[in-house]
Amino acid sequence: MENLLTLARDCLAAIEPTDKVARTQRAAALCMQGGCALPTDADPPSQLDPGRPRRPLLVHHTRLAARKLGAPSGRAAFLHALAHIEFNAINLAWDAVCRFRGLPAEFYRDWTQVAGEEALHFELLRGRLRALGHDYGDFPAHDGLWEMAGKTAHDALVRMALVPRVLEARGLDVTPGMIARLRQVGDHASVQVLERILADEIGHVAIGTRWYRFLCRQRALDPLQTFRGLWREYGLGPVRKPLNTAARHAAGFDAREIEMLDALDGEVA
């Protein structure tokens, strides 16, 4: 029986993408097979730093060039941006396993499963990049997703609210449009990859929703008002439309939340 926290820390610390993916997939498989144990007396982490390769170069999002999907180079840059999101998502999942203490064992199993699926997504996107003559690290990227990890490191409830239920939920809204654009330019292999990712990400947002509501119940907080308050407190900006209401419902958003987001109509929550 292996120590899940040790495995999680090793996966988080791994620098090279191939090594991080291999470690992550092994750990996720072990956990699924019941081969991992979570020590109940583990101390909270003093410091957690994700291992990341020297490339890609990280820049502000405003410095990233527009990606024209009609050209192979533009499509590669687009897929690279998605691969970078998935690489960060691996680290985010392991960070949740390592960072937050005192939650049910299912919490740690859920986020280990998420880490394994994010690793698969990264590998699928990397395969498409290589088919286009590129690899991960060939294009600059921004660090917005991981910046939110730092802002939410102090509280599991805030992490569950703002990473899966805001940042990843935005992916549910925009991915159908990405799929349509890739289909228009005839990149059916990338369409298949994004369809797989969309299906899995609904499950990831649902996991975030489940644990967000669990923590709200623990603290006797109203989930809707707490969500609205956190959105405003963290300055998350306008809600992008259209919402993928079917995917959001499947991911656990209830009718009141969808109504709230729809009613914002470009205003800050």
Side-chain angles (χ1 to χ4, degrees):
M1 189 74 68
E2 298 202 37
N3 184 317
L4 178 58
L5 290 182
T6 300
L7 291 173
R9 282 179 175 273
D10 289 346
C11 291
L12 183 65
I15 294 172
E16 290 304 316
T18 300
D19 184 37
K20 188 182 293 288
V21 166
R23 288 175 180 271
T24 295
Q25 291 178 334
R26 175 181 177 273
L30 271 173
C31 191
M32 184 180 301
Q33 295 160 8
C36 296
L38 183 75
T40 56
D41 59 347
D43 293 327
S46 57
Q47 185 173 358
L48 291 174
D49 295 315
R52 297 195 283 188
R54 181 177 55 86
R55 298 169 61 235
L57 174 68
L58 299 178
V59 300
H60 192 269
H61 69 88
T62 57
R63 293 181 56 194
L64 296 175
R67 308 173 188 108
K68 298 180 179 179
L69 300 191
S73 60
R75 197 154 66 253
F78 169 75
L79 293 169
H80 185 277
L82 299 182
H84 183 65
I85 290 170
E86 298 296 338
F87 186 83
N88 275 311
I90 301 169
N91 285 333
L92 274 164
W94 286 127
D95 183 90
V97 172
C98 293
R99 183 175 300 281
F100 301 117
R101 294 287 185 270
L103 289 160
E106 290 82 357
F107 176 90
Y108 305 97
R109 284 198 290 267
D110 279 349
W111 289 105
T112 297
Q113 173 191 326
V114 170
E117 290 174 355
E118 305 291 18
L120 172 63
H121 299 168
F122 175 80
E123 281 293 275
L124 292 172
L125 289 163
R126 194 179 193 186
R128 292 301 303 137
L129 275 172
R130 287 171 167 168
L132 292 168
H134 293 275
D135 202 352
Y136 181 60
D138 286 357
F139 299 90
H142 73 82
D143 210 24
L145 186 59
W146 188 256
E147 287 169 2
M148 186 60 83
K151 294 176 182 177
T152 61
H154 64 290
D155 191 334
L157 184 150
V158 179
R159 172 69 63 84
M160 296 299 106
L162 301 187
V163 174
R165 304 194 81 238
V166 173
L167 300 186
E168 291 188 86
R170 284 175 175 170
L172 304 185
D173 298 333
V174 302
T175 300
M178 297 176 186
I179 290 171
R181 291 166 63 197
L182 288 168
R183 190 173 280 122
Q184 285 175 352
V185 298
D187 190 345
H188 299 294
S190 295
V191 165
Q192 289 183 330
V193 170
L194 264 64
E195 287 176 338
R196 169 61 190 268
I197 290 173
L198 177 59
D200 287 346
E201 292 297 337
I202 290 171
H204 299 176
V205 177
I207 286 170
T209 295
R210 180 162 66 252
W211 291 110
Y212 169 69
R213 295 214 172 106
F214 172 88
L215 290 160
C216 283
R217 287 194 302 273
Q218 269 196 340
R219 304 178 195 186
L221 297 172
D222 177 78
L224 180 66
Q225 296 307 320
T226 303
F227 187 52
R228 183 194 295 272
L230 288 170
W231 194 305
R232 182 182 296 114
E233 179 183 348
Y234 284 81
L236 297 174
V239 179
R240 299 177 184 179
K241 304 291 179 70
L243 298 177
N244 186 346
T245 55
R248 283 179 177 264
H249 279 305
F253 280 75
D254 64 26
R256 293 193 310 153
E257 290 170 326
I258 297 294
E259 182 180 352
M260 182 194 81
L261 293 170
D262 270 329
L264 292 171
D265 198 22
E267 297 297 326
V268 176

